[in-house]
């Protein structure tokens, strides 16, 4: 299959800017979680390299990507300080300030508490709460969900009609959650169909926005 022409902004069009300053709490969380290595800023510009060796750029600007890393770092700190069990059981994806909460908790109060914690992070524009309330999860469920996510990431990576770098994927109890930026409706349909084709997937929940969505932040 011939490589797909690159869409969106080219890498050469991305001007270098240094990583933005973060507060002490966010900096500590970055160190604890290992979220931002010394080469992280460079990696944000390079993006992903497919098996063909062709680099593709994220739809997010470099500044937005750094902001999202900062938000993740602060979320790590907030959850760790507030409730270690929530820190352990809840995960999150952040794209352009939109936070998708995922995972399983045992009570509805924990679900609400996680939502409250997420809104405390500076720069959060939206919180999507997809945390499930259940006490019926185990090691086998976690292994199955991890395998589902890995299969879907692999399918998107080799699909020449999908820019996989723009998607965040996580599976909880057989439900696949998608967060990201789609080039168009056709690409989003392909991603959704890939997810539905995987064995043991019960449903697919999409919180993906289109590239030209007017609600996306405008970056100079």
């Amino acid at each position: 299959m011939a490589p797909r022409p690159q869409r969106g902004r080219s890498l050469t069009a991305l001007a270098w800017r240094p990583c933005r300053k973060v507060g002490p709490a966010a900096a500590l969380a970055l160190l604890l979680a290992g979220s931002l290595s010394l080469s992280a800023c460079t990696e944000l510009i390079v993006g992903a390299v497919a098996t063909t060796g062709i680099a593709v750029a994220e739809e997010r600007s470099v500044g937005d990507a750094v902001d999202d890393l900062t938000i993740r770092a602060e979320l790590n700190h907030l959850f760790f300080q507030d409730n270690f069990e929530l820190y352990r059981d809840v995960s999150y994806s952040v794209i352009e300030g939109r936070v998708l909460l995922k995972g399983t908790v045992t009570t509805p109060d924990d679900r609400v508490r996680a939502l409250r914690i997420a809104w405390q992070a500076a720069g959060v524009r939206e919180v999507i709460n997809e945390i499930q309330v259940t006490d019926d999860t185990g090691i086998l469920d976690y292994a199955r969900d991890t395998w589902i996510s890995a299969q879907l990431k692999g399918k998107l990576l080799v699909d020449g009609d999908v820019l996989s770098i723009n998607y965040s994927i996580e599976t909880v109890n057989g439900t696949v959650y998608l967060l990201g930026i789609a080039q168009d409706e056709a690409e989003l349909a392909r991603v959704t169909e890939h997810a539905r084709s995987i064995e043991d997937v019960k449903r697919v929940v999409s919180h993906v926005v289109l590239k030209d969505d007017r609600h996306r932040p405008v970056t100079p």
Side-chain angles (χ1 to χ4, degrees), residues 148-158 164 168-170 198:
I148 288 173
S149 296
Q151 290 181 82
L152 180 54
K153 291 174 183 178
K155 287 175 178 288
L156 300 188
L157 184 63
V158 300
S164 61
S168 176
I169 299 162
E170 188 154 340
I198 297 174

Side-chain angles (χ1 to χ4, degrees), residues 4 7 59 162-163 166-167 179-189 191 206-213 216:
R4 178 190 181 187
R7 296 181 179 180
E59 287 301 329
V162 173
L163 292 181
N166 292 315
Y167 293 88
L179 182 70
I181 306 167
Q183 299 296 297
D184 47 42
E185 292 282 2
E187 184 187 77
L188 179 55
V191 172
S206 174
H207 294 289
V208 176
V209 299
L210 299 182
K211 181 173 69 172
D212 58 358
D213 191 303
R216 289 185 60 205

Side-chain angles (χ1 to χ4, degrees), residues 47-92:
V49 179
T51 53
T52 58
I54 298 176
V56 292
E58 286 193 64
E59 287 301 329
R60 292 183 298 179
S61 70
V62 176
D64 286 335
V66 171
D67 287 343
D68 289 343
L69 281 174
T70 304
I71 290 172
R72 281 186 57 86
E74 188 171 359
L75 287 173
N76 283 335
H77 176 75
L78 289 169
F79 274 90
F80 184 83
Q81 292 294 320
D82 187 276
N83 188 300
F84 182 76
E85 289 188 357
L86 282 181
Y87 173 77
R88 179 194 62 196
D89 296 336
V90 174
S91 61
Y92 23 82

Side-chain angles (χ1 to χ4, degrees), residues 28-144:
L28 173 61
L30 280 169
L31 292 174
L32 289 174
S35 299
L36 186 60
S37 67
L38 292 176
S39 60
C41 293
T42 303
E43 291 170 357
L44 290 172
I45 294 178
V46 173
V49 179
T51 53
T52 58
I54 298 176
V56 292
E58 286 193 64
E59 287 301 329
R60 292 183 298 179
S61 70
V62 176
D64 286 335
V66 171
D67 287 343
D68 289 343
L69 281 174
T70 304
I71 290 172
R72 281 186 57 86
E74 188 171 359
L75 287 173
N76 283 335
H77 176 75
L78 289 169
F79 274 90
F80 184 83
Q81 292 294 320
D82 187 276
N83 188 300
F84 182 76
E85 289 188 357
L86 282 181
Y87 173 77
R88 179 194 62 196
D89 296 336
V90 174
S91 61
Y92 23 82
S93 300
V94 186
I95 294 184
E96 294 184 332
R98 301 174 69 226
V99 178
L100 173 60
L101 298 177
K102 303 153 290 185
T104 58
V105 295
T106 56
T107 69
D109 287 344
D110 286 338
R111 187 174 187 273
V112 174
R113 187 171 187 172
L115 179 65
R116 176 180 57 78
I117 294 172
W119 273 115
Q120 294 177 24
V124 171
R125 300 173 51 243
E126 178 183 0
V127 179
I128 305 163
N129 194 349
E130 290 287 1
I131 297 173
Q132 299 180 21
V133 180
T134 177
D135 57 2
D136 191 30
T137 58
I139 298 299
L140 292 178
D141 295 316
Y142 177 79
R144 179 203 60 198

